[in-house]
């Protein structure tokens, strides 16, 4: 099959820095992620990420896990508005990422999640999450908190 269109993909690169990225979708997507960090990319820093209009996609930002996962990412100053079903996804076995200062306005869809990660080994802080069925899901623990720090201190 044909791959879903994306606004940005970083794959197999190390030491990438992006300052200021605006992704504008047109809707009508059926799956995928607007922004994907995948296949062994490491030390990726994205500062100033704005995403709109990726309706029908699974995630606005997805840090893919698995045996070829990337790691050690820093994502900050994120603005997501009325876009994909879920905001941010972090793969189950990704454990050393920082995600901070995030404004997310969902579309009020049943089953939607603002940020979902399968691991408790990441630092997540400074979130304003509105209109998602579940604001935050960290390693299966669902909460309305605005911060999660490695080791459980919030």
């Amino acid at each position: 099959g044909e791959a879903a269109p994306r606004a940005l993909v970083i794959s197999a690169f190390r030491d990438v820095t992006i300052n200021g990225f605006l992704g504008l979708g047109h809707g009508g997507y059926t799956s995928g992620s607007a922004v994907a960090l995948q296949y062994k990319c490491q030390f990726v820093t994205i500062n100033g990420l704005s995403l709109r209009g990726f309706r029908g996609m699974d995630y606005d930002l997805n840090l893919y896990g698995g045996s070829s996962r990337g790691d050690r990412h820093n994502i900050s100053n994120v603005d997501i508005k009325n876009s994909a079903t879920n905001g941010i996804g972090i793969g189950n076995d990704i454990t050393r990422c920082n995600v901070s200062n995030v404004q997310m306005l969902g579309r009020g869809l049943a089953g939607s999640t603002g940020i979902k990660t399968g691991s408790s080994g990441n630092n997540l802080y400074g979130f304003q999450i509105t209109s998602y069925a579940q604001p935050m899901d960290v390693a299966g623990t669902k909460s309305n908190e605005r911060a999660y720090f490695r080791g459980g201190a919030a």
Side-chain angles (χ1 to χ4, degrees):
E2 194 172 308
R6 296 188 176 166
L8 175 67
V9 175
I10 300 173
S11 182
F13 280 95
R14 292 178 54 131
D15 304 311
V16 174
T17 298
I18 296 173
N19 285 304
F21 184 87
L22 171 62
L24 298 174
H26 56 72
Y29 305 102
T30 57
S31 67
S33 302
V35 175
L37 276 59
Q38 61 188 32
Y39 190 71
K40 298 185 180 184
C41 63
Q42 289 188 319
F43 301 100
V44 174
T45 297
I46 300 176
N47 179 38
L49 174 66
S50 295
L51 299 170
R52 311 260 188 288
F54 291 96
R55 292 175 180 223
M57 287 201 156
D58 301 317
Y59 286 93
D60 283 297
L61 170 62
N62 202 346
L63 285 61
Y64 284 90
S67 61
S68 297
R69 69 187 174 277
D71 209 352
R72 299 173 192 237
H73 305 308
N74 290 297
I75 313 294
S76 61
N77 301 313
V78 178
D79 179 28
I80 295 171
K81 184 176 178 186
N82 297 318
S83 200
T85 301
N86 303 292
I88 299 172
I90 302 175
N92 290 348
D93 39 12
I94 294 179
T95 59
R96 294 175 292 205
C97 292
N98 299 307
V99 183
S100 63
N101 302 326
V102 179
Q103 294 279 343
M104 300 170 68
L105 175 61
R107 296 184 291 130
L109 300 175
S112 63
T113 303
I115 181 163
K116 182 175 184 175
T117 176
S119 168
S120 59
N122 298 296
N123 289 317
L124 313 171
Y125 52 94
F127 283 76
Q128 294 292 324
I129 303 172
T130 308
S131 296
Y132 289 88
Q134 181 59 57
M136 190 175 279
D137 180 343
V138 177
T141 300
K142 295 171 175 40
S143 75
N144 295 321
E145 297 298 321
R146 291 189 168 85
Y148 178 87
F149 292 97
R150 200 176 7 240

